[in-house]
Amino acid sequence: MSTAKPINVYSIPELNQALDEALPSIFARLNYERSYGLLDTKLYIGYSIAVVAGLSFFLDKKFERAEIVVYQKFLVGAYFVLSLMFWYFSRFIEKGTVYVGKKRDTKDEIYVKTKFENNEPLYLVELIQKKKGSNTKKELKAQLKVNKVFNESGYLQNEGLFKWFSEQHDVLITKKNE
């Protein structure tokens, strides 16, 4: 089984997007349900930044400068704080996580981080499994040569990708806690 349209296998951004978009269906087959907590938090912060900027613009258009200086100072401060929160969240909390899922039967969580480095066709995957209610976690770093899951025409071979992720997941499950 392959994706509906081929991609340019020499384009790292296209490879990254195609592989990242396949993750939810792969982990659904591994009995995980997607969790949107990180994405929701990032959206809330981003929307808050937009509301503050919009409110500042509205006040600037409707009132004279002398009337709103105090409010504008507050809004600029809020904008700065929210922007700092957004940066911190993206850099240190989310840290490149592209998929978060919860196991349906045990409620364990899995975090998947992916990237390409140095424009090489190696999909670098980091799987992190956390036990709900405890501080234990397991980590696994793996590399996937993209030519193993894409054919010559640029079609993603979903079964091959699922098999690879299934094998990595099994290795992660059998690892001892860190």
Side-chain angles (χ1 to χ4, degrees):
M1 179 185 260
S2 61
T3 59
K5 65 178 187 158
I7 66 160
N8 178 2
V9 293
Y10 299 107
S11 170
I12 298 297
E14 284 187 43
L15 287 170
N16 195 30
Q17 181 178 358
L19 292 168
D20 286 351
E21 287 176 355
L23 292 176
S25 64
I26 288 169
F27 282 96
R29 289 175 64 184
L30 291 172
N31 206 23
Y32 283 92
E33 188 174 297
R34 188 160 194 180
S35 173
Y36 294 96
L38 288 177
L39 183 61
D40 288 347
T41 303
K42 194 171 184 179
L43 284 173
Y44 292 143
I45 296 170
Y47 286 143
S48 298
I49 291 170
V51 166
V52 167
L55 186 58
S56 176
F57 178 78
F58 174 76
L59 289 176
D60 197 39
K61 289 295 178 190
K62 289 290 184 186
F63 300 100
E64 293 294 320
R65 185 180 188 287
E67 298 174 316
I68 60 168
V69 169
V70 173
Y71 300 111
Q72 287 291 23
K73 287 179 181 178
F74 172 75
L75 290 173
V76 167
Y79 186 88
F80 176 76
V81 169
L82 287 169
S83 296
L84 190 62
M85 285 173 52
F86 189 85
W87 172 80
Y88 181 83
F89 183 83
S90 297
R91 177 85 178 199
F92 298 106
I93 296 174
E94 188 182 42
K95 293 189 254 183
T97 302
V98 293
Y99 178 84
V100 179
K102 292 183 180 176
K103 192 85 166 171
R104 290 189 181 110
D105 51 354
T106 64
K107 301 297 183 194
D108 290 344
E109 294 178 320
I110 192 159
Y111 294 80
V112 182
K113 299 178 182 185
T114 64
K115 64 181 175 180
F116 283 87
E117 285 184 351
N118 303 325
N119 290 326
E120 292 183 28
L122 287 175
Y123 190 54
L124 305 174
V125 178
E126 182 177 355
L127 299 172
I128 303 167
Q129 182 187 34
K130 295 182 180 179
K131 297 277 186 194
K132 189 137 183 148
S134 71
N135 290 335
T136 61
K137 71 177 184 177
K138 299 177 188 179
E139 294 184 32
L140 175 71
K141 293 182 181 181
Q143 296 179 358
L144 171 65
K145 292 182 180 180
V146 294
N147 63 351
K148 293 187 178 212
V149 293
F150 283 95
N151 66 15
E152 300 83 26
S153 302
Y155 288 97
L156 176 62
Q157 305 301 307
N158 288 324
E159 281 305 313
L161 186 62
F162 172 75
K163 182 181 174 196
W164 186 84
F165 267 103
S166 181
E167 290 168 359
Q168 302 310 311
H169 182 259
D170 291 342
V171 170
L172 179 69
I173 296 298
T174 59
K175 263 185 104 170
K176 292 184 180 181
N177 290 339
E178 295 179 0

